[in-house]
Amino acid sequence: MKIAVSSYSYHQYIKKGKMTQLDALKKAAEQGFEGIEFTDLCPENNSAATLDEQLTYARVLREEAERLGVKIVAYLIGADLYKGDAEKDAAEVERVKGQVRVAAELGAPIMRHDVCRN
């Protein structure tokens, strides 16, 4: 059995700007975790990052995880696939499809997303 941690476990530090997700990865390795799951990639804590910025960050995280010997075990995102408006629903599906690309770039073998918020 391998023990993993979620980047969400470091959420309070990340939210306050005291840590980035890259820092969380390094801390997980330092604390002896063998794996990590990431939630909603935010390069340098930028929650408004573009898909291209997220893809670049995913590559950085994957390479650092490999260097540290930590396996990226999953990628989790929030999603709301029923907004009650066909155009908004279609836009959300496209956003989630982009996040599948992020999961692939991370090398995460598992991806999970919410279906609805309510």
Side-chain angles (χ1 to χ4, degrees):
M1 180 187 322
K2 294 186 182 207
I3 305 297
V5 66
S6 175
S7 65
Y8 191 78
S9 296
Y10 306 98
H11 178 72
Q12 289 181 334
Y13 290 102
I14 293 169
K15 186 176 179 179
K16 291 178 182 177
K18 295 181 179 182
M19 181 180 268
T20 65
Q21 288 170 315
L22 182 59
D23 295 329
L25 169 61
K26 292 174 184 176
K27 182 58 81 174
E30 178 185 310
Q31 293 174 322
F33 289 102
E34 298 169 282
I36 189 167
E37 66 177 10
F38 284 100
T39 58
D40 292 307
L41 285 194
C42 297
E44 301 306 314
N45 298 344
N46 175 9
S47 60
T50 66
L51 177 58
D52 285 338
E53 290 169 330
Q54 287 181 309
L55 289 166
T56 298
Y57 197 51
R59 196 169 310 114
V60 167
L61 290 170
R62 185 190 73 234
E63 290 170 358
E64 184 65 5
E66 289 170 358
R67 188 186 75 73
L68 294 169
V70 175
K71 182 166 176 46
I72 297 175
V73 298
Y75 182 52
L76 300 99
I77 65 163
D80 186 1
L81 300 176
Y82 181 72
K83 296 176 179 282
D85 175 280
E87 190 172 305
K88 289 179 181 177
D89 291 346
E92 182 70 348
V93 167
E94 289 304 311
R95 186 187 72 80
V96 170
K97 287 166 58 176
Q99 293 303 295
V100 171
R101 290 180 53 205
V102 172
E105 191 63 49
L106 276 171
I110 296 169
M111 180 182 171
R112 180 181 67 81
H113 64 80
D114 299 328
V115 175
C116 295
R117 290 210 167 106
N118 294 327

